[in-house]
Coordinates of all heavy atoms in Angstrom, one line a residue:
M136 N 26.6 124.9 107.7 CA 25.2 125.0 107.7 C 24.8 125.4 106.2 O 25.4 126.2 105.6 CB 24.7 126.1 108.7 CG 23.2 126.1 108.9 SD 22.4 127.3 108.0 CE 22.7 128.8 109.0
T137 N 23.7 124.7 105.8 CA 23.2 125.0 104.4 C 22.0 125.9 104.4 O 21.0 125.5 105.1 CB 22.8 123.6 103.7 OG1 23.9 122.7 103.9 CG2 22.5 123.8 102.3
S138 N 22.1 127.0 103.8 CA 21.0 127.9 103.7 C 19.8 127.2 103.0 O 20.1 126.5 102.0 CB 21.3 129.2 103.0 OG 22.4 129.8 103.5
L139 N 18.6 127.5 103.4 CA 17.5 126.9 102.7 C 17.0 127.7 101.5 O 16.0 128.4 101.5 CB 16.3 126.7 103.7 CG 15.1 126.0 103.3 CD1 15.5 124.8 102.4 CD2 14.3 125.5 104.5
V140 N 17.9 127.7 100.5 CA 17.6 128.4 99.3 C 16.7 127.5 98.4 O 17.0 126.3 98.2 CB 18.9 128.8 98.5 CG1 18.5 129.5 97.2 CG2 19.8 129.7 99.4
M141 N 15.6 128.0 97.9 CA 14.6 127.2 97.1 C 14.3 128.0 95.9 O 13.1 128.1 95.5 CB 13.4 126.9 97.9 CG 13.7 126.1 99.2 SD 12.2 125.6 100.1 CE 11.8 127.1 101.1
S142 N 15.3 128.5 95.2 CA 15.1 129.4 94.0 C 14.6 128.7 92.8 O 13.9 129.2 92.0 CB 16.5 130.1 93.7 OG 17.5 129.2 93.7
D143 N 14.9 127.4 92.7 CA 14.3 126.6 91.7 C 14.3 125.1 92.2 O 14.8 124.9 93.3 CB 15.0 126.7 90.3 CG 16.4 126.2 90.3 OD1 16.7 125.1 90.8 OD2 17.3 126.9 89.8
A144 N 13.6 124.3 91.5 CA 13.4 122.9 92.0 C 14.7 122.2 92.3 O 14.8 121.5 93.4 CB 12.6 122.1 91.0
A145 N 15.7 122.3 91.4 CA 16.9 121.5 91.7 C 17.7 122.1 92.9 O 18.2 121.3 93.7 CB 17.8 121.6 90.4
V146 N 17.7 123.4 93.0 CA 18.4 124.0 94.2 C 17.6 123.6 95.5 O 18.2 123.3 96.5 CB 18.5 125.5 94.0 CG1 18.9 126.2 95.3 CG2 19.4 125.9 92.9
A147 N 16.3 123.7 95.4 CA 15.5 123.4 96.6 C 15.7 121.9 97.0 O 16.0 121.6 98.2 CB 14.0 123.6 96.3
Y148 N 15.7 121.0 96.0 CA 16.0 119.6 96.3 C 17.3 119.4 97.0 O 17.4 118.7 98.1 CB 15.9 118.8 95.0 CG 16.0 117.3 95.3 CD1 14.8 116.6 95.4 CD2 17.2 116.6 95.4 CE1 14.8 115.2 95.7 CE2 17.2 115.3 95.6 CZ 16.0 114.6 95.8 OH 16.1 113.2 96.1
A149 N 18.3 120.1 96.5 CA 19.7 119.9 97.0 C 19.8 120.4 98.4 O 20.6 120.0 99.2 CB 20.7 120.6 96.1
N150 N 18.9 121.4 98.8 CA 19.0 122.0 100.1 C 18.0 121.4 101.1 O 18.0 121.8 102.3 CB 18.8 123.5 100.0 CG 20.0 124.2 99.4 OD1 21.1 123.8 99.5 ND2 19.8 125.3 98.7
L151 N 17.2 120.5 100.6 CA 16.2 119.9 101.5 C 16.4 118.4 101.9 O 16.3 118.1 103.0 CB 14.8 120.0 100.8 CG 14.1 121.4 100.9 CD1 13.0 121.4 99.9 CD2 13.7 121.7 102.3
V152 N 16.7 117.6 100.9 CA 16.6 116.2 101.1 C 17.9 115.7 101.7 O 19.0 115.9 101.2 CB 16.3 115.4 99.8 CG1 16.3 114.0 100.0 CG2 15.0 115.9 99.2
E153 N 17.7 115.1 102.9 CA 18.8 114.6 103.8 C 19.8 115.7 104.1 O 21.0 115.5 104.2 CB 19.5 113.4 103.1 CG 18.5 112.2 103.0 CD 19.2 111.0 102.4 OE1 19.6 111.1 101.2 OE2 19.2 110.0 103.0
V154 N 19.3 117.0 104.3 CA 20.1 118.1 104.7 C 19.7 118.5 106.1 O 18.6 118.5 106.5 CB 19.9 119.3 103.7 CG1 20.7 120.5 104.2 CG2 20.4 118.9 102.3
A155 N 20.8 118.8 106.9 CA 20.5 119.2 108.3 C 19.8 120.6 108.3 O 20.1 121.5 107.6 CB 21.9 119.3 109.0
A156 N 18.9 120.7 109.3 CA 18.2 122.0 109.5 C 19.2 123.0 110.1 O 20.2 122.6 110.7 CB 17.0 121.8 110.4
A157 N 18.9 124.3 109.9 CA 19.7 125.3 110.5 C 19.8 125.1 112.0 O 20.9 125.3 112.6 CB 19.2 126.7 110.2
E158 N 18.7 124.8 112.6 CA 18.7 124.4 114.0 C 17.5 123.4 114.3 O 16.6 123.4 113.5 CB 18.6 125.6 115.0 CG 17.4 126.5 114.8 CD 17.5 127.7 115.7 OE1 18.5 128.4 115.7 OE2 16.5 127.9 116.5
E159 N 17.7 122.6 115.3 CA 16.7 121.6 115.6 C 15.4 122.3 116.0 O 15.4 123.3 116.7 CB 17.2 120.8 116.8 CG 16.3 119.6 117.1 CD 16.8 118.8 118.2 OE1 17.9 118.1 118.1 OE2 16.2 118.8 119.3
S160 N 14.3 121.8 115.5 CA 13.0 122.3 116.0 C 12.0 121.1 116.0 O 12.2 120.2 115.2 CB 12.5 123.4 115.1 OG 12.3 123.0 113.7
C161 N 11.1 121.1 116.9 CA 10.2 120.0 117.1 C 11.0 118.7 117.3 O 10.5 117.6 117.0 CB 9.2 119.9 115.9 SG 8.3 121.4 115.6
G162 N 12.2 118.8 117.8 CA 13.0 117.6 118.1 C 13.5 117.0 116.8 O 14.1 115.9 116.8
L163 N 13.4 117.7 115.7 CA 13.9 117.2 114.4 C 15.0 118.0 113.9 O 15.0 119.3 114.0 CB 12.7 117.3 113.4 CG 11.4 116.5 113.8 CD1 10.3 116.8 112.7 CD2 11.7 115.1 113.9
S164 N 16.0 117.4 113.3 CA 17.2 118.1 112.9 C 17.5 117.9 111.4 O 18.5 118.4 110.9 CB 18.4 117.6 113.7 OG 18.6 116.2 113.6
V165 N 16.6 117.2 110.7 CA 16.8 117.1 109.2 C 15.6 117.6 108.5 O 14.5 117.5 109.0 CB 17.0 115.6 108.9 CG1 17.2 115.4 107.4 CG2 18.3 115.0 109.6
R166 N 15.8 118.3 107.4 CA 14.7 119.0 106.7 C 13.8 117.9 106.0 O 12.6 118.0 106.3 CB 15.3 119.9 105.6 CG 16.0 121.1 106.3 CD 16.7 122.0 105.3 NE 17.3 123.1 106.0 CZ 18.3 123.9 105.5 NH1 18.8 123.6 104.4 NH2 18.7 124.9 106.2
V167 N 14.3 117.0 105.2 CA 13.5 116.0 104.6 C 14.2 114.6 104.8 O 15.3 114.5 104.3 CB 13.2 116.3 103.1 CG1 12.5 115.1 102.4 CG2 12.4 117.5 102.9
V168 N 13.5 113.7 105.5 CA 14.0 112.3 105.6 C 13.1 111.5 104.6 O 11.9 111.3 104.8 CB 13.8 111.8 107.0 CG1 14.3 110.4 107.1 CG2 14.5 112.7 108.0
P169 N 13.7 111.0 103.5 CA 13.0 110.3 102.5 C 12.2 109.1 103.2 O 12.8 108.4 104.0 CB 14.0 109.8 101.6 CG 15.1 110.8 101.7 CD 15.1 111.2 103.1
G170 N 10.9 109.1 102.9 CA 10.1 108.0 103.4 C 9.5 108.2 104.8 O 8.7 107.4 105.3
A171 N 9.9 109.4 105.4 CA 9.5 109.6 106.8 C 9.0 111.0 107.1 O 9.8 111.8 107.7 CB 10.7 109.2 107.8
P172 N 7.8 111.4 106.6 CA 7.3 112.7 106.9 C 7.4 113.2 108.3 O 7.8 114.3 108.6 CB 5.9 112.7 106.4 CG 5.8 111.5 105.5 CD 6.8 110.5 105.9
E173 N 7.0 112.3 109.2 CA 7.0 112.7 110.7 C 8.4 113.0 111.2 O 8.5 113.6 112.3 CB 6.3 111.6 111.5 CG 4.8 111.4 111.1 CD 3.9 112.6 111.3 OE1 4.3 113.5 112.0 OE2 2.8 112.6 110.6
E174 N 9.4 112.6 110.5 CA 10.8 112.9 111.0 C 11.4 114.0 110.2 O 12.6 114.3 110.4 CB 11.7 111.6 110.8 CG 11.3 110.5 111.8 CD 12.0 109.2 111.4 OE1 13.1 109.3 110.9 OE2 11.4 108.1 111.5
S175 N 10.6 114.6 109.3 CA 11.0 115.7 108.5 C 10.6 117.0 108.9 O 9.4 117.3 109.1 CB 10.5 115.4 107.0 OG 10.9 114.2 106.5
G176 N 11.6 117.9 109.2 CA 11.3 119.3 109.6 C 10.4 120.0 108.7 O 9.5 120.8 109.1
L177 N 10.6 119.8 107.4 CA 9.8 120.5 106.4 C 8.3 120.2 106.6 O 7.5 121.1 106.6 CB 10.2 120.0 105.0 CG 9.3 120.6 103.8 CD1 9.4 122.1 103.7 CD2 9.6 119.9 102.5
W178 N 8.0 118.9 106.8 CA 6.6 118.5 107.0 C 6.0 119.2 108.3 O 4.9 119.7 108.3 CB 6.4 117.0 107.1 CG 5.0 116.6 107.5 CD1 4.7 115.8 108.6 CD2 3.8 116.8 106.9 NE1 3.4 115.6 108.7 CE2 2.8 116.2 107.6 CE3 3.4 117.5 105.7 CZ2 1.4 116.3 107.3 CZ3 2.1 117.6 105.4 CH2 1.1 116.9 106.1
R179 N 6.8 119.2 109.4 CA 6.3 119.8 110.6 C 6.1 121.3 110.4 O 5.2 121.9 111.0 CB 7.3 119.6 111.7 CG 7.3 118.2 112.3 CD 5.9 117.8 112.8 NE 5.5 118.6 113.9 CZ 5.5 118.2 115.2 NH1 6.0 117.0 115.5 NH2 5.0 118.9 116.2
R180 N 6.9 121.9 109.5 CA 6.7 123.4 109.2 C 5.5 123.7 108.4 O 4.9 124.8 108.6 CB 8.0 123.9 108.5 CG 9.2 123.8 109.4 CD 9.4 125.0 110.2 NE 10.6 125.0 111.0 CZ 11.0 126.0 111.7 NH1 10.4 127.2 111.7 NH2 12.1 125.9 112.5
V181 N 5.2 122.9 107.4 CA 4.1 123.2 106.5 C 2.8 122.5 106.7 O 1.8 122.9 106.2 CB 4.5 123.0 105.0 CG1 5.8 123.8 104.7 CG2 4.7 121.5 104.7
R182 N 2.8 121.5 107.6 CA 1.5 120.9 107.8 C 0.5 121.8 108.5 O 0.9 122.6 109.3 CB 1.7 119.5 108.5 CG 1.9 119.7 110.0 CD 2.1 118.3 110.6 NE 2.1 118.3 112.1 CZ 2.4 117.3 112.8 NH1 2.7 116.2 112.3 NH2 2.4 117.5 114.1
P183 N -0.8 121.7 108.2 CA -1.8 122.6 108.8 C -1.6 122.5 110.3 O -1.5 121.4 110.9 CB -3.1 122.0 108.4 CG -2.8 121.3 107.1 CD -1.4 120.7 107.3
A184 N -1.7 123.7 111.0 CA -1.5 123.8 112.4 C -2.5 122.8 113.1 O -2.3 122.3 114.2 CB -1.7 125.2 112.9
A185 N -3.7 122.6 112.5 CA -4.7 121.7 113.1 C -4.2 120.3 113.4 O -4.7 119.6 114.2 CB -5.9 121.7 112.2
L186 N -3.1 119.9 112.6 CA -2.6 118.6 112.8 C -1.5 118.5 113.9 O -1.0 117.4 114.2 CB -2.0 118.1 111.5 CG -2.9 117.9 110.3 CD1 -2.1 117.3 109.1 CD2 -4.1 117.0 110.6
D187 N -1.2 119.6 114.5 CA -0.2 119.7 115.5 C -0.6 119.3 116.9 O 0.2 119.3 117.8 CB 0.5 121.1 115.6 CG 1.3 121.4 114.3 OD1 1.8 120.4 113.7 OD2 1.6 122.5 114.0
G188 N -1.9 118.9 117.1 CA -2.3 118.5 118.4 C -2.0 119.5 119.5 O -1.7 119.2 120.6
G189 N -2.1 120.8 119.1 CA -2.0 121.9 120.1 C -0.5 122.2 120.4 O -0.2 123.1 121.1
D190 N 0.4 121.5 119.8 CA 1.8 121.8 120.0 C 2.5 122.1 118.6 O 3.0 121.3 118.0 CB 2.5 120.6 120.6 CG 4.0 120.8 120.8 OD1 4.5 122.0 120.8 OD2 4.8 119.9 121.0
M191 N 2.4 123.4 118.3 CA 2.9 123.8 117.0 C 4.5 123.7 117.0 O 5.1 123.3 116.0 CB 2.5 125.2 116.6 CG 2.7 125.6 115.2 SD 2.3 127.3 114.8 CE 0.5 127.2 115.1
C192 N 5.1 124.0 118.1 CA 6.5 123.8 118.4 C 7.5 124.4 117.4 O 8.7 124.4 117.7 CB 6.9 122.3 118.5 SG 6.9 121.3 117.0
A193 N 7.1 125.0 116.3 CA 8.0 125.8 115.4 C 7.1 126.7 114.6 O 5.9 126.4 114.3 CB 8.8 124.9 114.6
A194 N 7.7 127.8 114.1 CA 6.9 128.7 113.3 C 6.4 128.0 112.0 O 7.2 127.3 111.4 CB 7.8 129.9 112.9
K195 N 5.2 128.2 111.7 CA 4.6 127.6 110.5 C 5.2 128.3 109.2 O 5.4 129.5 109.3 CB 3.1 127.7 110.5 CG 2.4 126.7 111.3 CD 2.6 125.3 110.8 CE 2.1 124.2 111.8 NZ 2.7 122.9 111.4
M196 N 5.3 127.6 108.2 CA 5.7 128.1 106.9 C 4.6 127.9 105.9 O 3.9 126.9 106.0 CB 7.0 127.3 106.4 CG 8.2 127.6 107.2 SD 8.7 129.3 107.1 CE 9.3 129.6 108.8
P197 N 4.4 128.8 104.9 CA 5.1 130.1 104.8 C 4.9 130.9 106.1 O 3.8 130.9 106.7 CB 4.4 130.7 103.6 CG 3.8 129.6 102.8 CD 3.4 128.6 103.9
L198 N 6.0 131.7 106.4 CA 6.0 132.4 107.7 C 4.7 133.3 107.8 O 4.3 134.0 106.8 CB 7.2 133.3 107.7 CG 7.6 133.8 109.1 CD1 7.9 132.7 110.1 CD2 8.8 134.7 109.0
G199 N 4.1 133.3 108.9 CA 2.9 134.1 109.2 C 1.6 133.3 108.8 O 0.5 133.8 109.1
S200 N 1.7 132.1 108.3 CA 0.5 131.3 108.0 C 0.3 130.3 109.1 O 1.0 130.3 110.0 CB 0.7 130.6 106.6 OG 1.6 129.5 106.8
M201 N -0.8 129.5 108.9 CA -1.1 128.4 109.8 C -0.7 127.1 109.1 O -1.3 126.1 109.4 CB -2.5 128.4 110.2 CG -2.9 129.6 111.2 SD -2.0 129.5 112.7 CE -3.2 128.5 113.7
G202 N 0.3 127.2 108.2 CA 0.7 126.0 107.4 C 0.0 126.1 106.1 O -0.8 127.0 105.8
L203 N 0.2 125.1 105.3 CA -0.4 125.0 103.9 C -1.8 124.6 104.1 O -2.2 124.0 105.1 CB 0.4 124.0 103.1 CG 1.8 124.4 102.7 CD1 2.5 123.3 101.9 CD2 1.9 125.7 101.9
E204 N -2.6 124.8 103.0 CA -3.9 124.4 102.9 C -3.9 122.8 102.8 O -2.9 122.3 102.3 CB -4.5 125.1 101.7 CG -6.0 124.7 101.3 CD -6.1 123.6 100.4 OE1 -5.2 123.5 99.5 OE2 -7.0 122.8 100.6
A205 N -4.9 122.1 103.3 CA -4.8 120.7 103.4 C -4.4 119.9 102.2 O -3.5 119.0 102.3 CB -6.2 120.1 103.9
A206 N -5.0 120.2 101.0 CA -4.6 119.5 99.8 C -3.2 119.7 99.4 O -2.5 118.8 99.0 CB -5.6 119.9 98.7
E207 N -2.7 120.9 99.6 CA -1.3 121.2 99.2 C -0.4 120.5 100.2 O 0.7 120.0 99.8 CB -1.1 122.8 99.4 CG -0.5 123.4 98.2 CD -0.5 124.9 98.3 OE1 -0.9 125.5 99.4 OE2 -0.2 125.6 97.3
A208 N -0.7 120.6 101.5 CA 0.1 119.9 102.5 C 0.2 118.4 102.2 O 1.2 117.8 102.3 CB -0.5 120.1 103.9
Q209 N -0.9 117.8 101.7 CA -1.0 116.4 101.4 C 0.1 116.0 100.3 O 0.7 115.0 100.4 CB -2.4 116.0 101.0 CG -2.6 114.5 100.9 CD -2.4 113.7 102.2 OE1 -3.0 114.2 103.2 NE2 -1.7 112.6 102.2
L210 N 0.2 116.9 99.4 CA 1.2 116.7 98.3 C 2.6 116.6 98.9 O 3.4 115.7 98.5 CB 1.2 117.8 97.3 CG -0.1 118.0 96.4 CD1 0.0 119.2 95.6 CD2 -0.3 116.7 95.6
V211 N 2.9 117.5 99.8 CA 4.2 117.4 100.5 C 4.4 116.1 101.2 O 5.4 115.4 101.1 CB 4.4 118.6 101.4 CG1 5.7 118.5 102.2 CG2 4.3 119.9 100.6
Y212 N 3.3 115.8 102.0 CA 3.4 114.5 102.8 C 3.6 113.3 101.9 O 4.5 112.5 102.1 CB 2.1 114.3 103.6 CG 2.1 113.1 104.5 CD1 2.4 113.2 105.8 CD2 1.8 111.9 104.0 CE1 2.5 112.1 106.6 CE2 1.8 110.7 104.8 CZ 2.2 110.9 106.1 OH 2.2 109.8 106.9
D213 N 2.8 113.3 100.8 CA 2.9 112.1 99.9 C 4.3 112.0 99.2 O 4.8 110.9 99.0 CB 1.8 112.2 98.8 CG 0.4 111.9 99.4 OD1 0.3 111.4 100.6 OD2 -0.6 112.3 98.7
W214 N 4.8 113.2 98.9 CA 6.1 113.2 98.2 C 7.2 112.7 99.1 O 8.0 111.8 98.8 CB 6.5 114.6 97.8 CG 7.9 114.8 97.3 CD1 8.5 114.2 96.2 CD2 8.9 115.5 97.9 NE1 9.8 114.6 96.1 CE2 10.1 115.4 97.1 CE3 9.0 116.3 99.1 CZ2 11.3 116.0 97.5 CZ3 10.2 116.9 99.4 CH2 11.3 116.8 98.6
I215 N 7.2 113.1 100.4 CA 8.2 112.6 101.3 C 8.0 111.1 101.6 O 8.9 110.3 101.6 CB 8.1 113.4 102.7 CG1 8.5 114.9 102.4 CG2 9.1 112.8 103.7 CD1 8.3 115.8 103.7
A216 N 6.7 110.8 101.8 CA 6.4 109.3 102.1 C 6.8 108.4 100.9 O 7.2 107.3 101.2 CB 4.9 109.2 102.3
A217 N 6.8 109.0 99.7 CA 7.2 108.2 98.5 C 8.7 108.1 98.4 O 9.2 107.5 97.4 CB 6.6 108.8 97.3
G218 N 9.4 108.7 99.3 CA 10.9 108.6 99.3 C 11.5 109.9 98.7 O 12.7 109.9 98.4
A219 N 10.7 110.9 98.6 CA 11.2 112.2 98.1 C 12.0 112.1 96.8 O 13.2 112.5 96.7 CB 12.1 112.9 99.2
P220 N 11.4 111.5 95.8 CA 12.1 111.4 94.5 C 12.4 112.7 93.9 O 11.6 113.6 94.0 CB 11.1 110.6 93.6 CG 9.8 110.9 94.2 CD 10.0 111.0 95.7
E221 N 13.6 112.8 93.2 CA 13.9 114.1 92.6 C 13.1 114.3 91.3 O 12.9 114.0 90.4 CB 15.4 114.1 92.3 CG 15.9 115.5 91.8 CD 17.4 115.7 91.9 OE1 18.1 114.7 92.2 OE2 17.8 116.9 91.7
Ligands
LIG361 C1 6.3 127.5 101.3 C2 7.3 128.4 101.6 C3 8.3 128.1 102.7 C4 8.8 126.9 103.1 C5 8.6 125.5 102.5 C6 9.7 127.1 104.2 C7 10.4 126.2 104.9 C8 11.1 126.4 106.0 C9 11.8 125.4 106.8 C10 11.9 123.9 106.5 C11 12.4 126.0 107.9 C12 13.3 125.4 109.0 C13 14.7 125.9 108.8 C14 15.7 124.8 108.4 O1 15.3 123.7 108.1 O2 16.9 125.1 108.4 C15 12.1 127.4 107.8 C16 12.5 128.4 108.7 C17 12.3 129.7 108.6 N1 11.6 130.4 107.5 FE1 10.6 129.4 106.0 N2 9.6 128.5 104.5 C18 8.8 129.1 103.6 C19 8.5 130.4 103.5 C20 9.0 131.4 104.3 C21 8.8 132.9 104.1 C22 7.9 133.4 103.0 C23 9.6 133.5 105.0 C24 9.8 134.9 105.3 C25 9.0 135.9 104.8 C26 10.3 132.5 105.8 C27 11.1 132.7 106.9 C28 11.6 131.7 107.7 C29 12.3 132.0 109.0 C30 12.5 133.4 109.6 C31 12.7 130.8 109.5 C32 13.3 130.5 110.9 C33 12.1 130.4 111.8 C34 12.4 129.9 113.2 O3 13.2 130.6 113.9 O4 11.8 128.9 113.6 N3 9.9 131.2 105.3 N4 11.3 127.6 106.7

């Protein structure tokens, strides 16, 4: 299992893209699937709770929040959709 260390951009990238989640959540087992936000655990964790259709299914990140603010979340979505380039 790979700890989700995000101490700097290179370390975060290495621990996120095509890396297995610590445990499955929301039916997803990979942190970032390039090109597929909806299959990426990271997106499910940080997208605004309002987009969850009433089924949050996993703790929102940052922990204790309701997900990222919409514009910030969109950046994450667009990055994954673009193939999660390094
Ligand atoms: C923007 C900042 C953050 C991001 C992007 C993030 C991302 C994630 C992701 C993707 C997971 C799923 C675990 C995995 O894939 O293996 C996770 C789980 C977790 N994170 Fe975060 N996280 C953030 C901030 C935090 C903070 C600030 C805390 C604690 C103060 C925290 C505590 C946890 C815990 C306890 C879990 C496991 C939760 C569970 O049982 O569902 N995270 N985080």
Side-chain angles (χ1 to χ4, degrees):
M136 192 261 280
T137 310
S138 309
L139 184 41
V140 179
M141 297 185 280
S142 47
D143 62 49
V146 169
Y148 187 91
N150 288 330
L151 281 167
V152 179
E153 295 183 300
V154 173
E158 58 184 54
E159 189 180 289
S160 57
C161 304
L163 303 175
S164 55
V165 178
R166 291 170 177 162
V167 172
V168 179
E173 299 298 341
E174 293 168 34
S175 299
L177 174 67
W178 170 242
R179 288 300 298 257
R180 294 275 180 168
V181 303
R182 78 182 187 188
L186 297 184
D187 286 338
D190 179 18
M191 195 181 295
C192 73
K195 281 294 168 196
M196 294 294 144
L198 198 62
S200 75
M201 291 296 272
L203 295 175
E204 181 270 322
E207 230 172 9
Q209 189 67 45
L210 294 175
V211 175
Y212 183 96
D213 290 345
W214 170 66
I215 298 174
E221 187 161 8

